[in-house]
Amino acid sequence: MEQGDANRHNLYVELQKYGQVGDHERTLKIANKILHSFPQDAKAFHVRIYSLIHLSRFEDVLLAFKKHPDLGQSLEFEKAYAMYRLNKIKEALEVLEAVRDPPLKVTELKAQVYYRLERFQECFDAYREVIKLTDDDFDDERQTNLAAIVVNLCANGKDQEMPRFTSDTYELAYNEACHLIAKGKYSDAEKKLKYAEKVCRDAFDDDAPVEEIDEELNIIKLQQAYVYHVQGREKEALQIYSSILKKKPNDIALLAVANNNIVAINRDQNLFDSKKKMKATINEATQLKLTASQKRTVSINNCLLNIYTNQGDHALAICDDLMTKHPEAKETAVLMKAAVLMREGKAEEARKLLEKVGKEAPSIGLKMCLAKVQLLLLEGMLWEARKELATLDDDSLFKPGIVSALVTLYLEVGEPEQAAKLFEKAVSWNQKNKTVGDLSALWRQAADFHLRSGKPQVAANSLEELLKMNSRDVITLARLIIAYAQFDTEKANRLSKELPHLVDLTPNIDAGALESSSWMMGLKAIKKAAKVDPVQQTPGTPNVSAKKKKSRRRKRLPKNYDPNVDPDPERWLPKRERSTFKKKKDRRNKEVGKGTQGGSAHAADQYDITKMASGSLKKEVTTSPISEVRQSQQLRKAQQKKKKKGKR
């Protein structure tokens, strides 16, 4: 054996030793030594790729394949797996599809790639094939993945039933609950999620850390909160969302969903908090973990949040990006864009946008037309709104909701004749086309309108259609008789025989008792009559009901009451009208004069011209009345002070 072969043999012995114990760092070092001495050694290259994958150094894996392309021809699975882990999904699929006669591990990885590309039907077919041909310890995980694929198929509108599985894990129960949610069975989903939570808790040992258990339960709790959310139980949902965020789980996709759903609950409230949560949701790392439908929902909520915060330019940019990346959300994006333009006072531009999109996409033309009508109504342009609705085709125009809106507009603008014609056309068109659905409201409203408008023949047609839907409707039959009585009395008489007898309509009413009752005297008289005991008294027994009951209310007498003294005759008069009050008022105001305010009687005589001698009018007054009053006040205060000092 040559020296080089001996070194290689020793290195392989060492490589096998470290490989058996799973020491991937040392196996990588030894594989690199072998490749350094023997660059074309395929086994060492394989060990190197294997060790790099176990160490999660996927970039180095791709560099190794790039450096030694000839050695990696049989390692397509490892190369595709490294691309898959680096989110290079399309490149991974190209590598896998180039494999001829792929083994099961390649088919399983291809199924995972289909799932990430959201090609769920191909993913479902691939997984079903793998499950049929494998029987190992990973069977439970494959069944869980298959259940997740079925959930996504249902969420995308395909009615896919959940297969029957042999395993009973909490992951599988969780996916089955998601399947029920996709079908709208929220009550059943709530029960299934509680069962999944119980199974999850039982799967852990008693001494397991609480943080580890919570990490597994978070996704189940999040789905429970969503079930509460869609059922209108927003307080319970918000409480769970907030508790999940406080725990700070490692799953960033879980955090993004919780933040987004809290923003949806807040709506136009707590905008500052919503802004922070939305910022944490739309970062690049989080977007990689979300599905296309989740990204679309987040973008819509972000746009609405910007509308609430009056950031119109940012909202318009999000709408344009939404139409580019998610064409299926074009309708929502256009409506939000029109709302932004309307808020900015660009009503004409908003209407043109809706009209343009309605022509480009006829499938959403009706919704765009109704949105345009809504904008016209907000501006008070009733005639233009009426004209816009009238231009719809017959399939849309004669729908009950459109007919109702257009009739209201006709009546509002003063065109009742057009409203009557519209009802006639709607009735005849639906009769001719045999429209499927509940049109009872349309027939009823049309009949009432035509009866009020003096067109009993047209009203009779609507009532006949209504009677076909429910032949036992007595009210409709009575209205039909009223309509026929105005132009065909014979038919009205014939139909009147079909009306049920009064006894059949009111089997539990006693006409005699009703006539003899005191219902005309009012509700109190009826209650009093109901309290009377109708049992006859036997002779010789006293009538107990005739005795008057003694009043249990205590008589309240005034304080210091003396029965020997007559009460005050003025006790019911107000105090200001009593004689005692008047005397106090006269005594209190005895010294008040009627002259100048604040003047004394002596000063009043001085200024009384009748008591002055001719030519004796004084030009100066030595002491003014105000000063006299002040002097008297000062004297009074001094006397009061002396009295206080004496008391002390």
Side-chain angles (χ1 to χ4, degrees):
M1 183 181 292
E2 297 181 1
Q3 184 68 29
D5 293 337
N7 290 336
R8 183 191 294 189
H9 177 74
N10 293 332
L11 289 172
Y12 266 109
V13 170
E14 197 173 354
L15 187 69
Q16 185 178 8
K17 181 179 69 173
Y18 291 125
Q20 288 176 349
V21 297
D23 192 346
H24 302 294
E25 286 284 355
R26 294 194 177 185
T27 55
L28 178 61
K29 288 180 181 179
I30 296 171
N32 288 337
K33 284 182 181 180
I34 297 173
L35 287 170
H36 181 73
S37 302
F38 307 96
Q40 299 301 318
D41 193 320
K43 289 183 179 179
F45 182 77
H46 195 172
V47 172
R48 181 183 182 186
I49 297 298
Y50 182 83
S51 300
L52 288 171
I53 289 175
H54 275 276
L55 294 171
S56 299
R57 293 167 58 178
F58 302 109
E59 290 284 356
D60 294 338
V61 172
L62 296 183
L63 287 174
F65 276 110
K66 189 176 181 180
K67 189 175 180 180
H68 301 281
D70 52 335
L71 297 178
Q73 292 180 357
S74 61
L75 301 176
E76 292 90 352
F77 173 81
E78 287 76 8
K79 185 178 181 180
Y81 181 76
M83 291 176 174
Y84 171 79
R85 292 296 302 271
L86 291 171
N87 289 312
K88 297 179 179 181
I89 309 300
K90 293 182 179 179
E91 293 89 335
L93 183 61
E94 291 176 2
V95 173
L96 292 171
E97 287 180 340
V99 180
R100 295 182 179 180
D101 299 328
L104 282 177
K105 64 177 184 179
V106 173
T107 305
E108 189 167 3
L109 180 58
K110 192 187 292 186
Q112 291 281 7
V113 171
Y114 284 144
Y115 187 87
R116 292 289 295 275
L117 292 172
E118 300 187 23
R119 294 163 60 173
F120 297 114
Q121 187 58 53
E122 296 168 89
C123 180
F124 178 78
D125 297 336
Y127 251 112
R128 191 166 54 180
E129 180 184 353
V130 171
I131 290 174
K132 285 180 182 178
L133 299 176
T134 55
D135 186 14
D136 52 24
D137 295 337
F138 298 100
D139 197 46
D140 289 348
E141 293 183 10
R142 294 189 183 99
Q143 291 185 23
T144 301
N145 291 345
L146 185 63
I149 297 164
V150 172
V151 171
N152 283 280
L153 286 172
C154 288
N156 289 339
K158 188 170 183 179
D159 189 13
Q160 182 71 45
E161 291 297 327
M162 184 68 73
R164 292 185 178 180
F165 299 108
T166 56
S167 61
D168 187 20
T169 61
Y170 68 89
E171 295 97 340
L172 189 58
Y174 167 80
N175 284 337
E176 289 175 346
C178 293
H179 182 255
L180 293 169
I181 291 172
K183 289 195 165 189
K185 300 178 180 179
Y186 301 115
S187 300
D188 296 337
E190 186 178 348
K191 295 176 183 177
K192 198 71 175 179
L193 287 168
K194 289 180 180 178
Y195 172 74
E197 181 181 356
K198 179 181 178 299
V199 175
C200 181
R201 290 186 184 278
D202 294 341
F204 287 91
D205 298 330
D206 295 336
D207 56 347
V210 178
E211 294 78 9
E212 186 179 347
I213 299 174
D214 288 341
E215 192 70 27
E216 291 295 323
L217 286 175
N218 280 333
I219 190 169
I220 301 175
K221 289 288 188 180
L222 182 71
Q223 206 69 340
Q224 286 178 349
Y226 175 75
V227 170
Y228 296 151
H229 193 165
V230 295
Q231 288 179 320
R233 298 156 63 181
E234 292 186 350
K235 288 185 179 179
E236 298 172 70
L238 185 61
Q239 187 177 2
I240 297 176
Y241 290 143
S242 301
S243 65
I244 290 173
L245 293 178
K246 286 179 182 178
K247 295 174 185 176
K248 297 180 180 180
N250 297 323
D251 190 349
I252 57 176
L254 194 75
L255 291 171
V257 173
N259 281 321
N260 175 77
N261 291 357
I262 290 176
V263 171
I265 291 176
N266 287 341
R267 297 183 183 87
D268 57 346
Q269 305 295 323
N270 302 324
L271 294 177
F272 182 73
D273 179 64
S274 296
K275 269 289 184 184
K276 289 197 301 182
K277 286 180 168 49
M278 185 55 67
K279 187 177 180 181
T281 305
I282 60 177
N283 63 69
E284 187 176 354
T286 304
Q287 292 291 306
L288 292 173
K289 295 291 184 178
L290 300 178
T291 64
S293 61
Q294 289 174 332
K295 293 176 184 176
R296 181 178 66 245
T297 304
V298 169
S299 296
I300 292 172
N301 286 341
N302 190 22
C303 183
L304 292 172
L305 184 60
N306 280 277
I307 293 174
Y308 289 144
T309 54
N310 295 320
Q311 294 179 316
D313 295 338
H314 197 187
L316 291 174
I318 295 173
C319 289
D320 294 336
D321 184 64
L322 192 62
M323 285 188 283
T324 304
K325 294 182 179 179
H326 305 280
E328 69 278 5
K330 184 177 182 180
E331 174 190 334
T332 306
V334 170
L335 292 175
M336 290 192 298
K337 193 171 184 178
V340 174
L341 294 171
M342 190 70 182
R343 286 169 72 100
E344 293 180 350
K346 301 176 182 178
E348 184 64 28
E349 189 176 345
R351 291 197 296 271
K352 287 181 180 178
L353 173 66
L354 293 170
E355 186 175 355
K356 178 184 176 183
V357 174
K359 290 179 180 178
E360 292 175 353
S363 59
I364 59 174
L366 177 60
K367 293 182 179 179
M368 296 298 108
C369 177
L370 293 177
K372 185 179 177 182
V373 169
Q374 179 67 22
L375 296 184
L376 291 169
L377 292 175
L378 289 174
E379 294 182 277
M381 303 168 70
L382 301 181
W383 286 93
E384 289 78 359
R386 176 195 64 81
K387 185 178 178 182
E388 187 69 28
L389 282 178
T391 57
L392 291 171
D393 58 336
D394 291 350
D395 290 339
S396 301
L397 180 62
F398 296 129
K399 290 183 177 180
I402 305 296
V403 171
S404 175
L406 194 52
V407 166
T408 304
L409 287 173
Y410 277 137
L411 296 176
E412 192 69 25
V413 299
E415 293 182 338
E417 300 84 5
Q418 295 294 332
K421 290 180 181 179
L422 177 64
F423 266 129
E424 291 179 22
K425 291 179 181 178
V427 169
S428 61
W429 187 87
N430 282 288
Q431 286 176 338
K432 182 180 178 181
N433 292 275
K434 297 179 180 180
T435 307
V436 179
D438 187 11
L439 299 174
S440 57
L442 176 62
W443 304 132
R444 190 173 290 107
Q445 294 298 327
D448 292 344
F449 186 84
H450 288 125
L451 280 174
R452 292 196 303 269
S453 303
K455 296 181 179 180
Q457 294 179 342
V458 183
N461 294 333
S462 300
L463 290 168
E464 285 178 351
E465 291 293 331
L466 193 59
L467 202 61
K468 288 179 183 178
M469 298 179 185
N470 186 5
S471 59
R472 297 182 179 181
D473 191 352
V474 180
I475 297 175
T476 302
L477 180 60
R479 289 181 177 177
L480 183 59
I481 293 170
I482 293 171
Y484 274 123
Q486 299 181 39
F487 66 93
D488 191 348
T489 55
E490 293 182 3
K491 196 165 185 178
N493 290 329
R494 190 165 61 253
L495 286 173
S496 63
K497 296 178 182 179
E498 299 179 12
L499 286 172
H501 195 270
L502 185 62
V503 176
D504 298 332
L505 290 174
T506 55
N508 299 324
I509 293 179
D510 187 357
L514 188 63
E515 290 178 357
S516 60
S517 66
S518 54
W519 61 272
M520 292 185 66
M521 299 299 292
L523 186 62
K524 289 183 179 180
I526 295 173
K527 288 182 178 179
K528 188 177 288 185
K531 290 180 182 178
V532 177
D533 188 4
V535 180
Q536 293 182 355
Q537 299 289 334
T538 56
T541 59
N543 190 352
V544 179
S545 62
K547 292 183 179 180
K548 290 185 179 180
K549 293 183 179 179
K550 293 183 179 180
S551 176
R552 295 182 181 179
R553 186 177 177 183
R554 293 179 57 189
K555 295 180 179 180
R556 299 181 63 185
L557 297 173
K559 294 180 180 179
N560 302 323
Y561 171 70
D562 189 355
N564 300 320
V565 179
D566 294 334
D568 185 6
E570 295 182 351
R571 64 188 183 280
W572 303 119
L573 292 175
K575 284 187 176 182
R576 63 178 179 275
E577 296 180 10
R578 298 179 187 178
S579 58
T580 53
F581 185 80
K582 287 181 180 179
K583 289 177 183 178
K584 287 181 181 178
K585 187 176 180 183
D586 293 340
R587 186 168 62 250
R588 187 170 63 248
N589 298 332
K590 201 170 187 180
E591 303 294 334
V592 179
K594 296 183 180 180
T596 306
Q597 185 176 358
S600 63
H602 178 68
D605 292 340
Q606 289 180 354
Y607 290 101
D608 191 353
I609 197 169
T610 58
K611 297 181 181 180
M612 293 181 187
S614 59
S616 61
L617 185 63
K618 295 182 179 181
K619 293 181 180 179
E620 295 181 2
V621 179
T622 56
T623 305
S624 66
I626 296 175
S627 64
E628 289 182 11
V629 173
R630 286 177 180 169
Q631 288 175 4
S632 63
Q633 290 176 351
Q634 291 173 359
L635 289 171
R636 196 178 302 112
K637 288 180 180 178
Q639 291 174 358
Q640 289 175 355
K641 286 182 180 179
K642 287 180 180 179
K643 288 180 180 179
K644 288 180 180 178
K645 287 179 181 179
K647 288 179 181 179
R648 289 177 185 173

